[in-house]
C-alpha cells in the first residue's frame, strides 16, 4: 500500500490503517496538518459507516485484527478493508469473521522512477494572431488526446529535433492527458495524489515525456479546428485563423452521446447545473465539486464501462448512487449475460442501486426542491429515480465533422474515418484513436474506443507521417478496474456479447447443483468464438506475470480452434491458475 516517498500524509493514513481504522476506528492524535486531519477524519467516518454493525472481536497481533461484520455487510466491509489489509481465504469462506493483516507489512519494492519532462517543458503556446501569410508547420495534429500524444512520442523517438516542426491543436485548455483515471483512480483517496496533474511522471494525468526533446512542440489550446480543406492542405480555426500542413493527423476522438431528453435538460437553465456528460478533466472537476457541496445522491445513466466504473467510484465516496441501465445487466454489450447479471448483483452489494431494463423518458426538477432532479423511467424495477447529480454515460459519437466537410470517407456502419492499416486516410492525411475505422488484418474492419488502441494507432500514424511504413499488427488490449467489487479484467480482440462464448471459471467454493454460487468467480477466462475459432478473450482477475495477455493475443493470431478442448486445456492456454473449484460455461450468440 503506502510505499516509500508518499510523504507525511501517506504515513499518517497508514498509521490510521494500523491502529484505528479497523481496531478502534478513531483518528490518531496530532495529524500532520489540517488537510491531513480532515482526510483522516473522512476515512475514519467511512470505516465507521461500513462497520457500523460490526464488532471488533480481538486484536491478535499489532498488524492483525479480527473483525466481526454482519453477514449482509460483509462484502462492503471487505471491499474497503481489502484496500488496506490482506484478508485470509478461510475467513472469507466463514463469511462472519474476517481476519485481516495489514498489507503495509509486506515488503514494498522500491521503484525508482526516472524523472520525466513535464508538458510545460515539452510544449510552447502558439500564437495564432501572429500568423501572417502562408503558414505553418510540417506536421499538424488535430485533437489533443491520447492518440495525439502517442503520435508525438513516436515522432520524438524517431528524431528528437522534430519537435519544432509539430503543431498540436486542441479545443481543451489542457495539455494531452489520460482520461482513464477520471472514472477510477481520481475517486480513490489513496491513489489520486499519484495522479495530480502538475506531476511529471508516468502516473500523472497530463502526459510527460521520458526525455527532453530538442526544441518545443507548438500547441494551440482552447481552439477548435472548424474546417479542413485537403486540396489546399489548410485548416481553419474557430478564431478564423488558418494554417497549412504537410502531413495531418486527425485524432479528434469522440463526443459523449446526448439523447434528446438530455440535450433538452442541458439546454434548460433549471437543470443544466445538475445534469452532465462525463468525458473530460473539467467534467470530472465539476462533478467532484458538485458532489462535495451537496450529498443528495447521484444517478448514472449507462451500463457500459464508463457508467459502471463511475457508479462504483461514486459509491466508494459514500454517495447514494443509482445506475440506470437499458439492458438486463451491466457491460451487456461486451460480456455474456450471466456475467452481466452477476456484476449487477455485486454492484448492489457495494451500495449501487442498479435499475435494469430501463428507458429514461424525461428529466425535471423535483417540485419544491432547488437541487433535486427526477428522472422518469420505464422499467420493471422503478418508475422514477432522483438525485442532485445526473451523469449521462451512454457512449460517444466519433468526431468526424472535419472529415465529412473535407469529403473524406466516413464508415457508414461503424462510424469513424476510414483508414487502412497504415492509419492513412489519403497520402498526407492520417487518423488514429477512437475516431478511426481501421483495417485489422486478422479481424477485419473495426473501430475501437480504448486507451491502448489510441496509443497503438497513434504511434503508427506518427511513424508513418515521418515516412516509415508501420502497419497495425498488434492486437490492442483494454481493461476495466472495478476494484471495489474485487474485479479487474483485461481483454483483447473481438469482445462482443453477440458472439458465442466459452469460459473457464475458478470459483471460491464448489458449484451448488452444478451452478456457481453468488460472489464466486475469483478468476477465469472467457473466450469469444466465431466459427469455432478464438477471436477475443477476457482475462478475469489475471495473475500478474502469468503472460496471459501475450498468450491470448497469440491464440487470436493463430486462429486457435476451441473444438474438442478439455476444461484444463482451455484454462492452460492462458495460464489460468490452478483451482480446486472450476466450472466451464458456454453461451450461444445473444
Ligand atoms: C472517463 C473515461 C475512462 C476511461 N477508461 C478507460 C479504461 O479504463 N480503459 C480503456 O481502454 N479505455 C478507457 N477509456 C477510453 C479511452 O480514454 C479513449 O479510448 C481514449 O482517450 C481515446 O483517445 P483519442 O485520442 O482517440 O480521443 P480523445 O481522448 O477523445 O481526444 C480527442 C481530443 O480531440 C479534441 N478535439 C476533437 N475535435 C476537435 C477539433 N475539431 N479541434 C480541436 N480539438 C478537437 C477533443 O476535445 C479531445 O481533447 C476511458 C474514457 C473515459 C472518458
Amino acid at each position: 500500500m503506502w510505499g516509500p516517498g508518499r510523504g507525511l500524509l501517506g504515513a499518517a493514513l497508514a498509521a490510521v490503517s494500523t491502529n484505528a481504522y479497523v481496531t478502534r476506528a478513531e483518528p490518531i492524535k496530532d495529524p500532520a496538518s489540517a488537510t491531513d486531519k480532515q482526510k483522516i477524519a473522512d476515512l475514519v467516518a467511512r470505516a465507521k459507516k461500513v462497520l457500523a454493525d460490526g464488532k471488533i472481536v480481538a486484536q491478535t497481533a499489532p498488524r492483525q485484527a479480527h473483525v466481526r461484520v454482519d453477514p449482509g455487510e460483509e462484502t462492503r466491509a471487505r471491499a474497503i478493508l481489502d484496500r488496506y489489509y490482506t484478508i485470509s481465504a478461510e475467513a472469507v469462506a466463514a463469511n462472519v469473521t474476517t481476519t485481516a493483516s495489514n498489507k503495509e507489512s509486506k515488503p514494498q519494492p522500491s521503484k525508482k522512477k526516472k524523472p520525466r519532462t513535464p508538458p510545460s517543458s515539452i510544449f510552447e503556446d502558439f500564437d495564432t494572431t501572429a500568423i501572417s501569410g502562408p503558414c505553418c508547420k510540417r506536421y499538424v495534429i488535430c485533437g489533443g488526446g491520447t492518440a495525439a500524444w502517442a503520435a508525438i512520442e513516436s515522432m520524438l523517438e524517431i528524431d528528437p529535433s522534430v519537435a519544432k516542426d509539430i503543431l498540436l491543436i486542441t479545443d481543451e485548455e489542457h495539455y494531452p492527458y489520460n482520461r482513464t483515471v477520471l472514472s477510477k483512480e481520481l475517486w480513490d483517496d489513496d491513489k489520486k495524489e499519484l495522479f495530480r496533474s502538475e506531476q511529471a511522471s508516468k502516473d500523472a494525468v497530463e502526459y510527460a515525456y521520458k526525455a527532453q526533446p530538442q526544441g518545443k512542440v507548438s500547441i494551440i489550446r482552447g481552439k477548435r479546428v472548424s474546417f479542413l480543406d485537403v486540396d489546399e492542405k489548410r485548416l481553419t480555426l474557430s478564431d478564423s485563423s488558418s494554417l497549412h500542413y504537410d502531413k495531418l493527423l486527425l485524432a479528434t476522438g469522440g463526443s459523449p452521446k446526448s439523447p434528446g431528453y438530455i440535450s433538452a435538460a442541458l439546454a434548460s437553465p433549471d437543470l443544466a447545473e445538475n445534469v452532465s456528460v462525463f468525458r473530460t478533466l473539467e467534467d470530472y472537476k465539476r462533478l467532484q465539486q458538485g458532489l462535495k457541496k451537496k450529498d443528495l445522491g447521484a444517478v448514472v445513466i449507462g451500463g457500459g464501462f464508463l457508467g459502471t466504473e463511475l457508479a462504483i467510484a461514486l459509491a466508494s465516496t459514500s454517495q447514494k448512487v443509482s445506475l440506470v441501465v437499458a439492458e438486463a445487466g451491466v457491460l451487456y454489450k461486451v460480456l455474456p449475460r450471466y456475467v452481466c447479471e452477476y456484476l449487477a448483483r455485486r454492484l448492489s452489494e457495494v451500495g449501487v442501486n442498479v435499475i435494469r431494463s430501463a428507458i429514461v423518458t424525461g428529466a425535471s426538477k423535483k417540485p419544491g426542491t432547488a437541487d433535486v432532479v427526477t428522472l422518469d423511467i420505464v422499467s420493471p424495477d422503478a418508475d422514477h429515480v432522483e438525485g442532485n447529480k445526473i451523469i449521462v454515460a451512454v457512449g460517444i459519437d466519433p468526431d468526424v465533422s472535419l472529415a465529412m466537410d473535407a469529403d473524406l470517407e466516413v464508415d457508414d456502419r461503424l462510424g469513424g474515418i476510414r483508414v487502412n492499416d497504415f492509419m492513412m486516410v489519403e497520402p498526407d492525411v492520417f487518423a488514429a484513436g477512437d475516431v478511426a475505422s481501421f483495417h485489422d488484418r486478422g479481424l477485419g474492419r473495426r473501430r475501437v474506443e480504448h486507451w491502448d488502441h489510441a496509443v497503438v494507432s497513434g504511434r503508427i500514424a506518427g511513424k508513418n507521417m515521418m515516412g516509415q511504413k508501420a502497419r497495425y499488427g498488434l492486437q490492442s488490449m483494454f481493461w476495466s478496474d472495478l476494484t471495489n467489487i474485487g474485479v479487474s479484467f483485461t481483454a483483447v480482440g473481438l469482445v462482443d456479447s453477440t458472439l458465442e462464448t466459452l469460459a473457464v471459471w475458478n470459483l471460491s467454493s464448489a458449484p451448488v447443483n452444478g451452478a456457481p454460487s453468488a460472489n464466486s468467480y475469483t478468476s477465469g477466462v472467457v473466450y469469444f468464438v466465431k466459427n469455432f475459432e478464438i477471436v477475443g478473450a477476457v482475462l478475469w482477475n489475471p495473475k500478474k506475470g502469468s503472460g496471459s495477455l501475450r498468450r491470448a493475443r497469440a491464440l487470436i493470431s493463430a486462429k486457435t480452434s476451441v473444438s474438442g478442448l478439455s476444461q484444463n486445456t482451455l484454462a492452460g492456454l492462458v495460464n489460468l491458475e490452478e483451482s480446486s473449484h472450476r466450472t466451464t460455461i458456454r453461451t450461444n450468440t445473444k
Side-chain angles (χ1 to χ4, degrees):
M1 291 300 300
W2 296 102
R6 299 273 182 90
L8 216 44
L9 176 60
L13 289 178
V16 170
S17 307
T18 308
N19 300 326
Y21 185 65
V22 171
T23 56
R24 283 188 288 118
E26 281 168 13
I28 58 163
K29 283 180 191 157
D30 303 328
S33 70
T35 329
D36 290 359
K37 198 172 174 179
Q38 186 52 48
K39 291 202 168 195
I40 291 164
D42 288 350
L43 189 71
V44 170
R46 227 187 315 151
K48 275 183 174 169
K49 199 167 167 185
V50 169
L51 300 175
D53 300 324
K55 192 166 97 196
I56 307 305
V57 176
Q59 186 173 359
T60 52
R63 288 181 182 279
Q64 204 171 64
H66 285 195
V67 183
R68 177 156 292 179
V69 183
D70 260 11
E73 280 289 281
E74 210 262 346
T75 312
R76 259 165 75 76
R78 257 192 77 196
I80 290 193
L81 290 174
D82 199 31
R83 288 158 54 186
Y84 297 91
Y85 291 85
T86 306
I87 298 176
S88 73
E90 314 83 75
V92 172
N95 207 27
V96 178
T97 302
T98 296
T99 305
S101 57
N102 195 327
K103 277 181 181 166
E104 204 208 1
S105 56
K106 283 188 187 167
Q108 296 293 314
S110 70
K111 281 187 209 144
K112 271 205 171 160
K113 287 188 178 154
K114 273 196 182 161
R116 295 199 147 221
T117 309
S120 54
S121 303
I122 298 165
F123 291 102
E124 66 185 356
D125 287 315
F126 185 89
D127 181 6
T128 52
T129 57
I131 299 173
S132 64
C135 176
C136 166
K137 293 279 181 183
R138 184 149 184 218
Y139 303 107
V140 175
I141 300 177
C142 175
T146 297
W149 171 250
I152 292 174
E153 270 196 322
S154 71
M155 293 166 87
L156 293 176
E157 283 165 16
I158 294 170
D159 176 4
S161 71
V162 78
K164 61 183 182 321
D165 297 325
I166 306 174
L167 169 65
L168 179 107
I169 307 168
T170 170
D171 57 1
E172 293 191 58
E173 294 293 343
H174 297 279
Y175 296 116
Y177 61 90
N178 178 0
R179 293 182 201 285
T180 70
V181 297
L182 305 182
S183 53
K184 299 183 256 309
E185 288 84 350
L186 290 186
W187 295 95
D188 184 332
D189 282 346
D190 301 344
K191 290 191 185 153
K192 69 178 175 200
E193 287 299 308
L194 282 174
F195 292 91
R196 277 181 295 124
S197 62
E198 67 272 22
Q199 276 182 349
S201 79
K202 257 195 143 162
D203 295 328
V205 177
E206 289 180 338
Y207 293 116
Y209 187 56
K210 60 189 167 196
Q212 176 66 57
Q214 292 164 24
K216 289 196 173 177
V217 174
S218 297
I219 187 167
I220 296 174
R221 290 184 279 172
K223 284 188 186 147
R224 207 170 158 76
V225 177
S226 53
F227 189 74
L228 163 64
D229 182 335
V230 283
D231 297 325
E232 297 283 325
K233 291 188 152 189
R234 186 168 48 87
L235 297 168
T236 306
L237 270 60
S238 45
D239 64 0
S240 303
S241 54
S242 72
L243 311 156
H244 286 265
Y245 61 83
D246 270 352
K247 306 273 179 198
L248 173 70
L249 172 59
L250 296 170
T252 48
S255 314
K257 282 190 174 139
S258 179
Y261 65 93
I262 292 301
S263 305
L266 291 171
S268 142
D270 205 27
L271 295 174
E273 265 270 299
N274 306 91
V275 182
S276 59
V277 291
F278 193 86
R279 176 85 183 164
T280 66
L281 193 48
E282 291 310 308
D283 292 336
Y284 160 78
K285 286 181 184 166
R286 263 194 304 274
L287 179 60
Q288 209 225 14
Q289 290 305 323
L291 291 173
K292 246 190 216 165
K293 274 192 240 155
K294 290 226 166 73
D295 184 3
L296 300 175
V299 181
V300 180
I301 305 175
F305 287 108
L306 178 56
T308 306
E309 286 183 356
L310 207 49
I312 292 180
L314 295 176
S316 77
T317 67
S318 303
Q319 282 287 322
K320 190 176 140 215
V321 182
S322 297
L323 177 63
V324 179
V325 302
E327 301 88 8
V330 298
L331 303 182
Y332 202 76
K333 290 193 176 134
V334 283
L335 295 174
R337 185 179 176 125
Y338 68 95
V339 185
C340 304
E341 290 169 353
Y342 164 76
L343 283 177
R345 274 202 312 277
R346 297 294 309 271
L347 256 68
S348 313
E349 288 163 8
V350 291
V352 178
N353 168 31
V354 185
I355 303 174
R356 281 171 276 190
S357 307
I359 301 168
V360 181
T361 53
S364 56
K365 200 47 80 63
K366 183 178 179 184
T369 67
D371 236 353
V372 179
V373 175
T374 303
L375 285 182
D376 298 320
I377 44 184
V378 179
S379 151
D381 295 344
D383 59 7
H384 74 282
V385 59
E386 289 170 356
N388 85 315
K389 285 288 166 201
I390 312 291
I391 306 114
V392 186
V394 293
I396 61 162
D397 289 318
D399 212 328
V400 293
S401 51
L402 290 175
M404 289 182 83
D405 287 348
D407 253 341
L408 298 176
E409 193 178 357
V410 170
D411 190 319
D412 290 341
R413 188 172 60 90
L414 301 170
I417 306 167
R418 274 178 80 98
V419 293
N420 58 18
D421 53 355
F422 296 101
M423 308 315 289
M424 185 188 273
V425 187
E426 55 171 62
D428 295 323
V429 182
F430 296 77
D434 286 4
V435 80
S437 153
F438 66 102
H439 174 61
D440 178 326
R441 281 192 287 169
L443 300 173
R445 186 148 289 278
R446 302 171 69 196
R447 193 173 66 75
V448 174
E449 293 170 7
H450 291 300
W451 185 88
D452 191 44
H453 164 71
V455 173
V456 171
S457 60
R459 289 184 63 83
I460 289 171
K463 286 179 185 172
N464 292 340
M465 283 165 83
M466 289 187 65
Q468 296 201 350
K469 290 263 174 280
R471 280 178 188 270
Y472 197 104
L474 181 84
Q475 278 300 330
S476 63
M477 53 76 87
F478 67 89
W479 76 97
S480 185
D481 286 331
L482 311 175
T483 34
N484 284 7
I485 58 168
V487 173
S488 167
F489 62 81
T490 306
V492 63
L494 289 185
V495 173
D496 174 344
S497 63
T498 59
L499 296 170
E500 278 177 49
T501 67
L502 182 58
V504 180
W505 293 102
N506 286 340
L507 307 170
S508 60
S509 52
V512 181
N513 299 329
S517 57
N519 304 351
S520 62
Y521 298 106
T522 51
S523 58
V525 54
V526 183
Y527 294 111
F528 292 76
V529 177
K530 230 182 191 178
N531 304 325
F532 303 105
E533 288 170 1
I534 297 174
V535 291
V538 166
L539 305 159
W540 189 270
N541 290 337
K543 207 169 110 196
K544 267 200 179 143
S546 63
S548 52
L549 178 62
R550 187 174 33 80
R551 283 165 171 256
R553 278 192 175 120
L555 295 172
I556 297 167
S557 297
K559 299 185 187 292
T560 308
S561 168
V562 291
S563 58
L565 298 187
S566 68
Q567 184 182 73
N568 279 348
T569 308
L570 287 166
L573 289 176
V574 289
N575 228 354
L576 186 63
E577 61 206 312
E578 291 299 321
S579 166
S580 45
H581 304 305
R582 212 169 237 183
T583 191
T584 304
I585 302 180
R586 184 186 290 272
T587 61
N588 293 324
T589 48
K590 236 185 209 171

